[in-house]
């Protein structure tokens, strides 16, 4: 490639949002002369595969790691390994850290987010974040020589890490909430998960199946950057692709002693010998070999520009419903952006793989439509919050206001739980379903979608709505 390039579409970022945007643009490309460039810092990119519809909107999918060469050849797009440095929007031009100048007609920023490492770490090398493939590899190296681990955070990655890691003498899980996995579930579901965690700690859970994968590397790129690339975010079920047992042979599941420290935060961290001493706000002192900080993310905005972008309250790039930023012909998608439009009653933003995929596709549709002078409407997926993931070995489906978000505690909850099998929660307002939390293979995903979107009055069913002797799928599908 020459140092001066010109493209119709330039997408920055090799994560789910960026790759989805590039792939969707390739499908929508009406003019063969339209050129697409994906600018990424890593020789590995994340592509969505094995999409399984669970309803009209909800999908379950895998995220596959691909080499940039494989992505380029499969989609007829160019991929450049470099980093965005400067945006000159007045001239529709970007500059990279390697000195390249790239002309664009439409630019989409999908630079994702970076781990929000606990500030008490003070740059300590024994406090690591878990965000991308490279950070998981670093974690795997460390656990082979470690016996005591402290995990800080209460979201999906922290929950999966505590459950999946094996062979440690002690794991201390530090959470600021009164119950585990509060990012996704309520206290009832947390109790449901605790049973699975207890069984695993006691060594009674069945052996984990390790899914091996091809690992692509670009030695020239790693040498050029000193290995300091920022990789794309981990996808759903990321732990299935890694053996994160201490001994690494997958031969046994010995369990760990897991101690959960509720309603506390890290007050300070000190180095002792080759390890760390962690002081909690309740006065507890923990000694460990290293700390994993899984305390959320912040939008990754590291470039400069000739015009300031409007930002949301969380520091993300403010975008309207078509994923346009405040700067003309520049769009954004995924974790780097803030959803600044008026939301549908059952949708809200949450930095998840599902929304990264949806936003990337929406940005592609918007850019292609503007290029063609056509009018489009917002995708139907933004009518209702929807996400499918796995926690503690269970499928977890989140729909609408699944935890009563934004309902000001003016709602009722219907629950059904079968220990070790399923946990179902319906959030109701005036007899109408506003959200659902489905743990396990419930088969209720599409039914709940319909009930939330249609807002059918269910008052006449009362508590029988979740009566196990009544198949509500027959009534409402």
């Amino acid at each position: 490639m020459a140092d001066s390039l010109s493209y119709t579409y330039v997408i920055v970022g090799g994560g789910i949002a960026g790759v989805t945007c590039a792939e969707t643009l390739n499908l929508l490309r009406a003019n063969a002369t339209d050129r697409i460039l994906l600018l990424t810092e890593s020789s590995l990119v994340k592509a969505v595969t094995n999409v399984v519809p669970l309803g009209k909107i909800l999908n379950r999918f895998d995220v596959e790691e691909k080499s940039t060469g494989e992505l380029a050849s499969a989609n007829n797009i160019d991929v450049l390994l470099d980093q965005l440095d400067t945006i000159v929007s007045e001239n529709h031009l970007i500059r990279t850290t390697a000195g390249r100048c790239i002309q664009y007609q439409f630019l989409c920023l999908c630079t994702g987010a970076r781990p929000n490492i606990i500030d008490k770490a003070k740059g300590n090398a024994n406090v690591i974040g878990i965000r991308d493939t490279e950070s998981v590899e670093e974690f795997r190296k460390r656990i082979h020589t470690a016996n005591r681990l402290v995990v800080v955070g209460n979201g999906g990655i922290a929950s999966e890490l505590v459950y999946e890691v094996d062979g440690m003498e002690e794991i201390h899980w530090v959470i600021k909430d009164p119950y585990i996995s509060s990012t996704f579930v309520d206290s009832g579901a947390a109790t449901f998960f605790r049973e699975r965690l207890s069984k695993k700690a006691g060594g009674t859970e069945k052996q984990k199946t390790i899914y091996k994968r091809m690992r692509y590397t670009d030695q020239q790129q790693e040498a050029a950057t000193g290995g300091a690339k920022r990789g794309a975010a981990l996808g759903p079920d990321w732990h299935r692709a890694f053996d994160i047992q201490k001994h690494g042979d997958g031969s046994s599941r010995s369990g760990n002693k897991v101690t959960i420290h509720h309603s506390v935060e890290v007050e300070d961290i000190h180095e002792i010998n080759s390890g760390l001493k962690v002081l909690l706000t309740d006065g507890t002192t923990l000694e460990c070999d290293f700390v994993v900080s899984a305390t959320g993310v912040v939008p990754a905005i590291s470039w400069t520009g000739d015009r300031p972008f409007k930002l949301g309250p969380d520091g993300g790039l403010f975008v309207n419903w078509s994923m346009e930023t405040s700067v003309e012909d520049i769009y954004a998608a995924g974790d780097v952006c803030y959803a600044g439009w008026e939301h549908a009653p059952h949708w809200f933003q949450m930095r998840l793989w599902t929304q990264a995929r949806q936003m990337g596709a929406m940005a592609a549709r918007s850019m292609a439509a503007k290029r063609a002078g056509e009018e489009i409407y917002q995708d139907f997926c933004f009518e209702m919050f929807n996400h499918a993931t796995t926690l503690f070995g269970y499928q977890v489906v989140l729909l609408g206001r699944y935890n009563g978000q934004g309902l000001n505690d003016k709602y009722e909850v219907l629950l059904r739980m079968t220990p070790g099998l399923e946990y179902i929660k319906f959030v109701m307002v005036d007899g109408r379903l506003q959200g659902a939390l489905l743990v396990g293979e419930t088969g209720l995903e599409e039914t709940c979608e319909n009930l939330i979107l249609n807002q059918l009055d269910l008052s006449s069913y009362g508590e029988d709505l979740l009566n196990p002797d009544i198949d509500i799928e027959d009534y409402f599908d």
Side-chain angles (χ1 to χ4, degrees), residues 163 196 199-208 253 392:
Y163 178 68
R196 175 65 67 93
K199 285 183 177 180
K200 189 258 181 179
T204 59
E205 276 288 285
K206 65 181 180 180
Q207 180 177 336
K208 173 188 174 185
R253 297 283 281 172
F392 301 96

Side-chain angles (χ1 to χ4, degrees), residues 245-277:
Q245 297 183 39
K246 176 177 168 59
H247 302 294
D249 59 4
S251 58
S252 65
R253 297 283 281 172
S254 59
N256 310 291
K257 179 186 176 184
V258 178
T259 303
I260 302 173
H261 303 267
H262 300 89
S263 304
V264 294
E265 296 184 58
V266 173
E267 184 167 297
D268 212 344
I269 298 176
H270 300 286
E271 291 192 28
I272 52 166
N273 300 322
S274 59
L276 297 175
K277 180 181 288 187

Side-chain angles (χ1 to χ4, degrees), residues 333-375:
D335 289 355
V336 74
C337 74
Y338 170 80
W341 64 87
E342 184 178 349
H343 301 166
H346 298 103
W347 190 89
F348 55 92
Q349 184 180 10
M350 199 170 178
R351 286 180 167 85
L352 300 166
W353 324 290
T354 298
Q355 289 191 0
R357 176 174 178 253
Q358 293 166 344
M359 288 178 170
M362 186 68 226
R365 289 182 56 219
S366 298
M367 289 189 291
K370 189 170 183 180
R371 165 77 167 146
E374 298 173 349
E375 184 179 1

Side-chain angles (χ1 to χ4, degrees), residues 262-332:
H262 300 89
S263 304
V264 294
E265 296 184 58
V266 173
E267 184 167 297
D268 212 344
I269 298 176
H270 300 286
E271 291 192 28
I272 52 166
N273 300 322
S274 59
L276 297 175
K277 180 181 288 187
V278 180
L279 177 64
L280 305 184
T281 51
D282 66 352
T284 302
T285 299
L286 308 174
E287 293 188 7
C288 64
D289 297 298
F290 70 102
V291 172
V292 172
S293 176
T295 48
V297 297
V298 292
I301 301 174
S302 59
W303 63 85
T304 59
D306 60 335
R307 295 176 185 170
F309 286 88
K310 182 179 180 180
L311 302 180
D314 61 3
L317 297 173
F318 190 102
V319 294
N320 62 18
W321 66 264
S322 62
M323 310 309 297
E324 287 181 289
T325 69
S326 58
V327 180
E328 186 179 6
D329 294 332
I330 299 181
Y331 296 70

Side-chain angles (χ1 to χ4, degrees), residues 6-11 25 29 31-37 92 102-107 329 367 371:
S6 180
Y7 285 87
T8 311
Y9 306 102
V10 175
I11 302 101
L25 277 171
R29 179 164 37 189
N31 191 328
T33 61
D34 287 351
R35 302 180 65 207
I36 303 169
L37 174 69
H92 280 57
I102 305 173
Q103 205 83 33
Y104 67 84
Q105 285 184 250
F106 301 97
L107 175 66
D329 294 332
M367 289 189 291
R371 165 77 167 146

